[in-house]
Amino acid sequence: FLKPMKMKPLAPVFVVIWAAAIGSVDGLAGGFAKVKGTPARKTGSAAAAKTSARAAASSDDITAKKAVSNLFSVCAHIQDLKLYKPTWADACHQIVDEGGTRIVAKRDIRRGHAVTLFPIHSLGLRTIRSDGRKARKNRESDTEFVVYDVDRDGEFFGRGGDERAGLRLKLNIPLDRKQPAAALMGDRKRHVLFSTFLPQKSAQPGWLGGRMRLGDESTGNSITIPLPGAAPLCAVVATRDVKEGEEIIRCASRPDLEELKSILAEEHGKDISMLGMHVQMACQTTLEQVGADKAESDEIHSSELGPFHAINLNYPGLKMIHQDPDIYSVDDFLSADECDRIVAKACPHLKPCLVNNERNGRVEQDPARTSTNANVPQVEVPTVMRKITDLTNCSPDKVEILQVLRYKKGQEFVPHTDGFSGPYSSCGFVDSTRLCTVFCYLNDVEEGGTTYFPEVDLDIRPKRGMAVIHFPADVEMREDKRTLHQGSPALDDKWLLTTWVWKDPRTEEEYGEERLPKLNDDII
């Protein structure tokens, strides 16, 4: 899905008070605003500035800004055509002639299908501090927090960049509660997520959103929609059948918007799901960063934790390898035959993963810290699922999508926890959390590749078929930071099957098991 590559360092994020210098987009309808390049300037009284500074220090603001930074890192990475090319990249192209610039369909496009993606040259968070009747006319105290790639686009967003940028298009991105990023943005009436598009930059196949002319409901044939479960990524979607050679014209709103979203999710479910995984990684990284920042002030003492999820203590071969925090193992949880068949099933479908770079706090693709993974449908491994549910005392709908991970020589997984601080919505689970981690080694590793728990100084050597169980959070949804662990660098190939048990069943249809692509006909 994404080829390994180190991203160029992104610019430090900055906060400016833009006020009328950039204009505004009313509401959260996903509309555009044309913004001419006038220099940003500070406005408002000293008292208003102080009020903004105090508000900016709030917990919600900090979390939202960290989320914007991590989400942009992911989006910038995905927009590199060397790493990712949308499957619908050949749907349309740009034509420039005496009549101007037009986006034209290269093939027939059916209603509800993706036409192209909307490019993200910067990602921002507008914090609305004005209120009352004057809010729409007087936004002097509003601020905008903008993230961009300094190496790629610094000339447009840095000092003096407004004159070079010329015309900009801004897109407000509405986030419903099903979007993983929504929980991190806080109050939707106060925080507005938006992206900026620079039309003067070179057009990229598959990323032509924002370049088409604007029409109305009768003349337009497309609309911009946030990708389900993958916002801030947005797709331009056909609102009716479009013929080859027909110009793509966008409209601002449609009465059948929800139906178009459903068609989009059904038709492009595989692509959207994979993009959503990267967005979820950015969201999870944000929560880990916020948790680390607040650790000293609100750390829960280990004696206050518990109770934890009750697994089946009578499961054959179960043994405790560490107490408080409790960590268990089961030798031969999977047979050698099951391990080999799972590896064979997943191998042709492996895709690179994103990881959290602890040095700069961003989600990146790094050749030295990148495993590959594949999602495994429960229906293809019923025997394995029965073992997992018997061991963990849970129903299948509380089990997160099974993943097979492969670590090659030199690859590792940096220290991390699997839990979340408080209720969290991700992977189809809403206002819940991970209570139990289960992973199983699928091969023997003679050297390297151990799983190390530094807080308790426990090092586990991979052994084919052996399962390891630990508890990232208690049933009150409080994270146990003592379960911090890492995958040490592998000197030989290491294969893992891993999943997590959540407190509540999965409820979001977009993440249903039936939406996962079939891997092969071997039923394990």
Side-chain angles (χ1 to χ4, degrees), residues 4 8 10 27 55 62 78 98 161 185 207 244 250 266 284 288 298 304 347 399 423 473 488 490 494-495 516:
K8 296 179 179 179
L10 300 180
I62 293 171
I78 291 172
E98 60 276 3
M185 293 298 141
W207 297 90
E244 178 181 352
R250 60 181 174 85
E266 182 176 352
Q284 181 175 341
E288 292 173 356
D298 61 2
E304 300 175 11
C347 191
V399 178
S488 303
K494 180 176 76 171
W495 292 81
L516 292 176

Side-chain angles (χ1 to χ4, degrees), residues 175-416:
L175 297 174
D176 59 40
R177 67 179 185 86
K178 295 180 180 180
Q179 294 285 1
L184 302 176
M185 293 298 141
D187 186 355
R188 288 191 294 175
K189 295 181 180 179
R190 185 166 174 269
H191 284 156
V192 180
L193 182 67
F194 68 90
S195 64
T196 304
F197 163 56
L198 302 172
Q200 70 273 32
K201 289 179 64 70
S202 299
Q204 294 193 100
W207 297 90
L208 299 177
R211 296 182 181 274
M212 53 277 300
R213 293 192 300 115
L214 177 63
D216 55 28
E217 191 174 322
S218 61
T219 60
N221 55 18
S222 67
I223 191 171
T224 303
I225 297 177
L227 287 179
L233 294 170
C234 297
V236 176
V237 178
T239 57
R240 59 171 173 78
D241 290 348
V242 177
K243 296 294 185 181
E244 178 181 352
E246 184 177 351
E247 182 179 0
I248 307 297
I249 301 175
R250 60 181 174 85
C251 53
S253 63
R254 290 282 302 188
D256 56 350
L257 183 60
E258 292 304 317
E259 183 182 0
L260 292 172
K261 288 181 180 179
S262 298
I263 299 173
L264 176 69
E266 182 176 352
E267 178 63 26
H268 301 291
K270 182 177 180 181
D271 290 86
I272 294 173
S273 177
M274 297 181 74
L275 290 168
M277 288 177 60
H278 294 273
V279 170
Q280 290 164 18
M281 177 70 79
C283 293
Q284 181 175 341
T285 297
T286 300
L287 289 176
E288 292 173 356
Q289 292 170 350
V290 171
D293 291 343
K294 297 169 60 180
E296 292 186 3
S297 60
D298 61 2
E299 183 175 4
I300 300 174
H301 193 274
S302 61
S303 62
E304 300 175 11
L305 291 170
F308 290 89
H309 176 73
I311 64 172
N312 179 8
L313 297 179
N314 295 318
Y315 192 88
L318 181 72
K319 61 182 178 182
M320 179 180 285
I321 56 178
H322 191 276
Q323 186 175 15
D324 195 24
D326 294 350
I327 304 174
Y328 296 88
S329 70
V330 180
D331 286 339
D332 300 318
F333 178 72
L334 296 180
S335 68
D337 178 65
E338 289 170 332
C339 292
D340 291 344
R341 289 163 65 191
I342 291 172
V343 169
K345 177 185 287 289
C347 191
H349 306 278
L350 293 172
K351 306 292 182 181
C353 304
L354 287 180
V355 296
N356 177 24
N357 187 327
E358 293 292 339
R359 292 173 298 178
N360 58 28
R362 298 189 182 96
V363 180
E364 298 179 351
Q365 184 77 46
D366 189 332
R369 295 186 175 186
T370 305
S371 60
T372 51
N373 75 333
N375 294 331
V376 181
Q378 292 183 7
V379 69
E380 295 190 34
V381 286
T383 302
V384 176
M385 275 302 302
R386 189 159 50 250
K387 292 182 178 182
I388 291 174
T389 54
D390 287 349
L391 170 62
T392 59
N393 273 336
C394 77
S395 56
D397 58 0
K398 291 186 178 181
V399 178
E400 192 171 324
I401 292 174
L402 303 179
Q403 295 183 30
V404 171
L405 301 173
R406 181 189 186 185
Y407 293 85
K408 293 183 178 180
K409 181 178 180 180
Q411 293 178 335
E412 60 181 331
F413 198 171
V414 296
H416 64 284

Side-chain angles (χ1 to χ4, degrees), residues 398-463:
K398 291 186 178 181
V399 178
E400 192 171 324
I401 292 174
L402 303 179
Q403 295 183 30
V404 171
L405 301 173
R406 181 189 186 185
Y407 293 85
K408 293 183 178 180
K409 181 178 180 180
Q411 293 178 335
E412 60 181 331
F413 198 171
V414 296
H416 64 284
T417 62
D418 295 336
F420 310 105
S421 297
Y424 184 62
S425 299
S426 181
C427 304
F429 301 90
V430 177
D431 293 335
S432 187
T433 197
R434 290 169 170 171
L435 297 182
C436 180
T437 296
V438 181
F439 63 85
C440 184
Y441 300 108
L442 299 178
N443 69 315
D444 294 318
V445 180
E446 293 185 4
E447 192 172 0
T450 62
T451 303
Y452 181 56
F453 292 78
E455 297 296 316
V456 298
D457 194 26
L458 175 66
D459 208 15
I460 303 174
R461 180 176 295 278
K463 179 182 178 182

Side-chain angles (χ1 to χ4, degrees), residues 63-118:
T63 300
K65 290 172 183 177
K66 287 182 180 293
V68 169
S69 181
N70 286 321
L71 288 168
F72 179 76
S73 294
V74 168
C75 294
H77 185 74
I78 291 172
Q79 288 176 97
D80 189 332
L81 292 181
K82 297 178 181 178
L83 307 179
Y84 170 64
K85 184 179 181 181
T87 56
W88 48 78
D90 64 341
C92 63
H93 62 152
Q94 177 175 281
I95 295 178
V96 181
D97 53 26
E98 60 276 3
T101 299
R102 294 174 292 133
I103 303 300
V104 176
K106 292 177 64 178
R107 54 175 171 79
D108 291 348
I109 305 171
R110 296 184 61 184
R111 175 175 177 267
H113 289 210
V115 177
T116 190
L117 291 175
F118 191 92

